[in-house]
C-alpha cells in the first residue's frame, strides 16, 4: 500500500476506535445508550448457545444460529468482541472495494477516493461501532463479486451460498449471476439448442456448489433447532408485517390493516413491485454484474415492506464500484446526495414527534416515506442514465 492508502486506513481505524471507546463511556454514564439493541439480542442468543440452549430462546433473535455462534466470544471473552469483529469487517470491505475497483479498470487515485467514501462514511462507521452486523454481509457480498470478477467461481459459489444463508436478500443476485455465467446465444442454433447452451458448465457448477452450501447449513441447523430455525431465520421475514414506523412506502397501509384477516396476504403482495423491477434490471444490465447487483439491492431496499437506515448499507457498500463509471457532474452528484439526506430529514422530523413527543404523526411519516421513495427513484434513474457499463467480455459463439 502507498502512503495515501495507509493514511486513509489509519484514519478509518482511529475514528472507529475512538467511537468504540466513547460508546463504552456513553453506555456506562448516559441515559441514552450508544450500543444498538440488536447487539444485546446477538449477545443473549450467544449466551443461550454457550449454555446448551437454543438461540431462539432469546425473543426477537431472527437470524441464523451461525451469527450467534460467531459471537460466542462476546460471552466467553469480552462483551466488545462483536463490535471489534464488525469494525474489522468494515475495514476489510474497504480493502475489497479497492481490489474490485482495480480489477474493473479504475485508476489508483479514483479507487482511493471511492474507497474513502466507504471508509470515512459516517453511516457504516456508526452502524458497525454500535454493534450491528451489516458489515459481515458487506464482506460476504463483496468477496463473492471479487471472486466472480477474478474467475474463481467455486470460491464465489461457496461465499454466495453463505451470504444467502446469513441474510436472505442476496438471493436476488441469483438471476444476474446466472445470466453472467450463461453461454451467449448463437444465431446458427435453434431456440431449444440456445436454451440448452444457457445452462453452461460454469453456471451448473456455481448452482451446485452454492446450493449445497446453503442446504448443508440449513439442514444442519434444522436438525439442531427444528422449526424455530426455519421460521425465525426465513419465513418470518417473508410474512413479516412490521407496523412500526419505518421508511417503507407500505408501513402505514400495513399498520392500518394489521387486524384484518387478509393482512398476511397483503404483506406478500408487497413483493410484486420488487420482483418485477428486479427482473427488468437483471435483463437490462446483466453484462455488468456489480452494477446490476447495486441496482438490485437499491430496488429491494427502496420497495421493501420494511426499510430502516441500516438497510441502506446493503447498497452503499456497492456504490463505490459504480461511482467511477458515472458521467454525472460533481455539482449534480452533490445535489442528488443532498436530496437523499433531505428526504431522510423530512421523514425523521415527524418520526421524532411520534417517538418523543407522543404526537399522532403516522400519516405525515407515511407521506415522508413516499417522498423518500420518489427521491430514491429519481436518484436511481439519474445513475442509470449517466452510467457507462463495463464492456462485457466477448463470449465464444459458433
Amino acid at each position: 500500500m502507498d502512503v495515501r492508502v495507509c493514511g486513509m486506513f489509519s484514519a478509518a481505524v482511529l475514528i472507529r476506535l475512538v467511537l468504540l471507546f466513547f460508546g463504552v463511556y456513553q453506555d456506562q454514564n448516559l441515559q441514552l445508550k450508544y450500543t444498538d439493541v440488536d447487539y444485546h439480542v446477538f449477545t443473549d442468543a450467544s449466551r443461550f448457545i454457550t449454555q446448551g440452549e437454543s438461540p431462539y430462546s432469546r425473543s426477537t433473535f431472527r437470524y441464523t444460529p451461525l451469527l450467534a455462534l460467531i459471537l460466542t466470544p462476546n460471552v466467553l471473552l469480552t462483551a466488545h468482541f462483536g463490535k471489534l469483529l464488525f469494525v474489522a469487517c468494515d475495514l476489510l470491505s474497504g480493502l475489497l472495494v479497492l481490489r474490485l475497483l482495480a480489477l474493473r479498470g479504475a485508476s489508483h487515485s479514483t479507487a482511493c477516493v471511492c474507497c474513502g467514501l466507504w471508509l470515512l462514511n459516517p453511516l457504516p462507521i456508526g452502524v458497525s461501532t454500535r454493534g450491528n452486523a451489516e458489515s459481515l454481509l458487506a464482506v460476504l457480498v463483496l468477496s463473492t463479486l471479487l471472486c466472480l470478477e477474478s474467475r474463481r467461481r467455486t470460491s464465489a459459489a461457496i461465499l454466495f451460498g453463505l451470504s444467502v444463508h446469513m441474510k436472505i436478500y442476496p438471493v436476488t443476485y441469483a438471476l444476474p449471476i446466472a445470466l453472467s455465467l450463461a453461454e451467449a446465444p448463437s444465431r446458427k442454433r435453434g431456440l431449444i439448442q440456445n436454451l440448452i447452451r444457457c445452462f453452461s458448465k460454469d453456471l451448473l457448477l456455481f448452482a451446485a456448489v452454492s446450493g449445497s452450501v446453503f442446504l448443508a447449513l440449513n439442514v444442519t441447523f434444522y436438525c439442531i433447532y427444528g422449526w424455530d430455525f426455519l421460521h425465525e431465520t426465513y419465513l418470518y421475514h417473508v410474512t413479516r408485517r412490521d407496523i412500526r414506523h419505518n421508511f417503507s412506502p407500505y408501513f402505514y397501509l400495513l399498520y392500518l390493516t394489521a387486524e384484518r384477516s387478509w393482512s398476511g396476504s397483503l404483506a406478500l403482495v408487497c413483493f410484486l413491485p420488487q420482483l418485477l423491477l428486479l427482473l427488468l434490471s437483471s435483463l437490462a444490465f446483466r453484462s455488468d454484474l456489480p452494477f446490476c447487483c447495486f441496482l438490485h439491492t437499491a430496488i429491494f431496499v427502496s420497495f421493501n415492506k420494511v426499510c430502516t437506515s441500516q438497510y441502506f448499507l446493503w447498497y452503499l457498500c456497492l456504490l463505490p464500484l459504480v461511482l467511477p463509471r458515472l458521467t454525472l457532474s460533481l455539482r449534480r452528484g452533490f445535489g442528488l446526495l443532498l436530496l437523499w439526506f433531505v428526504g431522510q430529514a423530512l421523514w425523521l422530523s415527524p418520526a421524532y414527534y411520534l417517538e418523543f413527543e407522543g404526537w399522532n404523526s403516522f400519516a405525515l411519516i407515511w407521506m415522508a416515506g413516499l417522498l423518500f421513495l420518489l427521491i430514491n427513484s429519481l436518484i436511481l434513474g439519474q445513475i442509470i442514465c449517466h452510467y457507462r457499463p463495463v464492456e462485457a467480455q466477448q463470449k465464444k459463439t459458433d
Side-chain angles (χ1 to χ4, degrees), residues 12-305:
V13 171
L14 181 61
I15 292 170
R16 285 162 172 79
L17 288 178
V18 168
L19 283 175
L20 285 175
F21 283 115
F22 175 78
V24 174
Y25 170 82
Q26 181 172 335
D27 288 343
Q28 293 176 350
N29 296 279
L30 301 180
Q31 184 177 2
L32 181 63
K33 306 303 180 185
Y34 185 80
T35 301
D36 194 303
V37 66
D38 282 347
Y39 191 70
H40 299 299
V41 173
F42 302 155
T43 303
D44 289 344
S46 298
R47 183 173 294 107
F48 280 117
I49 283 184
T50 61
Q51 296 169 353
E53 300 180 43
S54 168
Y56 302 108
S57 298
R58 174 46 160 107
S59 61
T60 72
F61 181 76
R62 298 189 172 100
Y63 308 88
T64 168
L66 185 59
L67 178 60
L69 282 169
I70 292 172
L71 296 180
T72 50
N74 275 13
V75 179
L76 302 175
L77 296 178
T78 171
H80 308 301
F81 170 82
K83 289 185 180 181
L84 292 171
L85 174 63
F86 300 152
V87 163
C89 289
D90 214 0
L91 298 169
L92 178 56
S93 296
L95 286 174
L96 293 170
V97 165
L98 207 59
R99 178 59 179 154
L100 272 163
L101 287 170
L103 285 177
R104 287 168 60 80
S107 66
H108 182 65
S109 59
T110 300
C112 287
V113 171
C114 293
C115 179
L117 292 176
W118 169 261
L119 290 175
L120 304 178
N121 188 323
L123 185 57
I125 291 173
V127 168
S128 61
T129 55
R130 293 183 68 226
N132 198 284
E134 301 305 331
S135 59
L136 281 174
L137 263 295
V139 165
L140 289 173
V141 168
L142 290 169
S143 297
T144 301
L145 291 175
L146 179 60
C147 289
L148 284 169
E149 292 282 308
S150 306
R151 297 187 172 276
R152 300 198 302 270
R153 295 190 176 102
T154 302
S155 299
I158 294 171
L159 289 165
F160 182 68
L162 181 57
S163 300
V164 177
H165 171 77
M166 289 292 291
K167 190 160 284 189
I168 196 67
Y169 83 86
V171 75
T172 63
Y173 306 155
L175 181 56
I177 289 174
L179 292 173
S180 71
L181 295 176
E183 292 286 348
S186 171
R187 293 182 179 179
K188 296 181 180 180
R189 296 177 180 268
L191 177 62
I192 302 301
Q193 290 175 314
N194 277 323
L195 286 175
I196 294 174
R197 281 172 59 86
C198 289
F199 295 95
S200 64
K201 179 183 176 181
D202 289 335
L203 175 55
L204 293 175
L205 177 64
F206 187 93
V209 173
S210 59
S212 297
V213 170
F214 180 74
L215 286 175
L217 288 168
N218 287 344
V219 169
T220 299
F221 287 127
Y222 179 76
C223 291
I224 298 173
Y225 301 113
W227 175 255
D228 284 344
F229 159 68
L230 285 180
H231 180 265
E232 301 295 342
T233 306
Y234 300 115
L235 299 179
Y236 167 80
H237 298 283
V238 174
T239 59
R240 180 180 183 183
R241 289 170 290 162
D242 195 334
I243 60 174
R244 294 171 298 177
H245 56 286
N246 61 80
F247 287 95
S248 172
Y250 303 115
F251 114 83
Y252 194 48
L253 179 62
L254 295 173
Y255 170 77
L256 293 176
T257 60
E259 303 300 323
R260 303 297 180 93
S261 59
W262 42 267
S263 60
S265 300
L266 178 63
L268 294 176
V269 171
C270 292
F271 285 116
L272 293 180
Q274 283 177 313
L275 292 176
L276 178 60
L277 290 170
L278 292 176
L279 176 61
L280 292 175
S281 61
S282 296
L283 295 174
F285 302 104
R286 62 186 182 275
S287 61
D288 191 337
L289 185 58
F291 179 59
C292 193
C293 290
F294 166 77
L295 288 180
H296 266 229
T297 314
I299 289 169
F300 183 87
V301 170
S302 298
F303 288 86
N304 201 34
K305 58 185 176 179

